[in-house]
Amino acid sequence: MDREAKNTVLIFGGTGNLGTYMVKASIKLGHPTFVFARPLTPQSTINKINLHKEFQSSGVTIIQGELKEHEKIVAVLRQVDIVISVLPFPQIPDQIHIIEAIKVAGNIKLLSEFACKISCKLRGSYKEFPQKRFLPSEFGVEEDRLSFLPPFEACLEKKRKIRRAVEASGIPYTYVSANCFGAYFLNYLLRPHEQHEDVTIYGSGEAKAPFTYEEDIANYTIRVANDPRTCNKIVIYKMQKNILSQIELISLWEKKTGKYFKKVHVPEEELVKLTETLPFPDNVRASVLHGLFVKGDLVTYELGENDLEASSLYPDYKYTTVDQLLDVFLVDPPKPALATF
């Protein structure tokens, strides 16, 4: 028997931006991996079709379906141990379908010590058996202890409702707060794909924010999802080397590129006004910029006794520092993305 038997992982949203990293991390760490994705159609892009082929060639089982196909989801759930949702903001409320299916499938639940031992024996693994669980689509700010201007706050309230639904169901869970997606925000703030002489600074530029490269978010998350210590806990991704202000970030970029950029400041009051006057979803993005880079909300709270920090949990994992990620941006910058709300 295989003494290193791995939990089977099911990922919803696995063909999206962060989801692609998540699937690759699951494969890299040796987990049998399922992806539940919307069906390919004649209108599907070449990139999406090629991604399906790439996953399948790596041994991923792709289930094409919609979130309302209850029986199909239940059937898939009964084959897996860990469920990770990486669905985008517009589909956050739809996770209620996943929760209901998990309840019906009945196998994603807390295991007693005796059940753990039996499972270990059956699977041929003699290590501590990780509890099964569900990771809803989080990965951004820690919404239960932060509040933002109304446009973004309305989005976060949808996430809070899903958290409360998970807890009410009794399904074992882990919540992940990864804070600022590294490649996403470096692209947004520095615009490496453009020829430009200026950079925009929101507020004074002195407020700090924690950045985490998407590849590290994925690699940490697969570890977190299989770790008995993180069951029914919140895990924060807040690596000290990656907590920088906009001014520090721009200074690093200037040193690496040998260019000096004109700094164009957007005052706080102007950004607040934009959250009130811009159409949706631009008002949400203005609200995000205000909370993250003007108020510095992501570094204003201390970790509580039930919180866990990723780099402390896995000190042997060498995460990508912002300095190292900027080196990647110099050579082959990741493609810019724009979050949907």
Side-chain angles (χ1 to χ4, degrees):
M1 277 191 173
D2 179 9
R3 292 174 179 266
E4 299 295 332
K6 297 277 190 175
N7 276 341
T8 300
V9 175
L10 168 62
I11 299 172
F12 288 86
T15 59
N17 184 40
L18 181 60
T20 301
Y21 285 100
M22 202 72 69
V23 173
K24 291 179 179 179
S26 182
I27 297 167
K28 177 183 175 182
L29 290 169
H31 293 278
T33 304
F34 286 67
V35 169
F36 194 92
R38 282 176 171 169
L40 292 174
T41 69
Q43 289 73 42
S44 296
T45 65
I46 293 296
N47 286 342
K48 190 71 70 175
I49 294 170
N50 288 340
L51 185 60
H52 275 238
K53 291 179 179 178
E54 178 187 343
F55 284 168
Q56 289 171 328
S57 67
S58 299
V60 174
T61 301
I62 298 180
I63 309 298
Q64 297 189 45
E66 302 288 350
L67 289 174
K68 291 184 178 180
E69 294 187 70
H70 178 75
E71 295 301 327
K72 179 179 284 189
I73 293 176
V74 169
V76 179
L77 286 168
R78 286 177 172 155
Q79 303 176 62
V80 305
D81 306 296
I82 302 294
V83 182
I84 301 174
S85 171
V86 203
L87 295 172
F89 261 111
Q91 290 185 278
I92 291 299
D94 295 335
Q95 291 178 112
I96 198 69
H97 299 299
I98 301 174
I99 295 169
E100 291 303 318
I102 290 174
K103 288 160 62 176
V104 172
N107 60 313
I108 308 295
K109 57 186 178 182
L110 288 173
L111 299 175
S112 66
E113 183 178 353
F114 175 75
C116 284
K117 289 179 179 178
I118 294 297
S119 295
C120 285
K121 185 174 182 179
L122 290 174
R123 295 161 64 95
S125 173
Y126 294 88
K127 293 188 173 183
E128 184 177 15
F129 187 74
Q131 295 285 2
K132 300 183 178 187
R133 83 221 34 191
F134 173 46
L135 280 71
S137 188
E138 295 274 336
F139 307 108
V141 304
E142 218 311 272
E143 64 261 23
D144 273 346
R145 69 193 80 191
L146 293 173
S147 60
F148 293 80
L149 292 175
F152 190 38
E153 185 67 16
C155 294
L156 294 181
E157 188 56 30
K158 296 175 183 179
K159 285 195 168 188
R160 295 186 189 108
K161 287 181 180 179
I162 291 298
R163 279 192 176 189
R164 304 294 84 84
V166 171
E167 292 158 7
S169 72
I171 297 168
Y173 64 85
T174 300
Y175 301 145
V176 167
S177 173
N179 291 304
C180 297
F181 288 18
Y184 179 93
F185 278 104
L186 293 191
N187 263 315
Y188 193 95
L189 296 171
L190 301 176
R191 294 152 44 212
H193 290 271
E194 302 175 22
Q195 292 294 326
H196 60 97
E197 303 299 325
D198 64 326
V199 289
T200 303
I201 296 178
Y202 302 95
S204 69
E206 296 175 354
K208 292 180 181 287
F211 298 86
T212 312
Y213 182 31
E214 287 83 339
E215 186 174 293
D216 294 328
I217 293 174
N219 278 293
Y220 273 132
T221 298
I222 299 301
R223 288 168 169 80
V224 161
N226 289 277
D227 191 335
R229 298 173 295 175
T230 66
C231 193
N232 290 352
K233 299 281 188 178
I234 298 172
V235 184
I236 313 288
Y237 298 3
K238 191 179 285 189
M239 289 73 84
Q240 288 302 311
K241 290 182 180 179
N242 282 2
I243 300 176
L244 288 85
S245 68
Q246 292 174 85
I247 290 175
E248 290 171 328
L249 179 62
I250 293 166
S251 177
L252 268 175
W253 188 235
E254 287 178 332
K255 289 177 182 177
K256 289 182 181 293
T257 59
K259 295 180 62 176
Y260 177 81
F261 297 98
K262 178 184 176 183
K263 281 73 174 176
V264 179
H265 285 260
V266 177
E268 179 178 6
E269 56 271 20
E270 182 178 334
L271 198 54
V272 171
K273 188 68 175 177
L274 289 173
T275 71
E276 299 167 346
T277 57
L278 286 174
F280 177 87
D282 293 330
N283 60 343
V284 180
R285 297 186 181 106
S287 179
V288 171
L289 293 170
H290 177 267
L292 272 55
F293 300 118
V294 176
K295 303 295 289 184
D297 284 337
L298 302 189
V299 295
T300 58
Y301 65 91
E302 299 294 328
L303 299 189
E305 62 179 23
N306 289 323
D307 298 328
L308 300 168
E309 197 282 312
S311 61
S312 299
L313 277 175
Y314 312 106
D316 293 338
Y317 178 76
K318 304 302 181 185
Y319 66 84
T320 308
T321 65
V322 168
D323 187 76
Q324 291 168 333
L325 184 51
L326 287 176
D327 288 335
V328 174
F329 269 71
L330 274 177
V331 179
D332 184 21
K335 292 181 180 179
L338 193 61
T340 53
F341 291 103

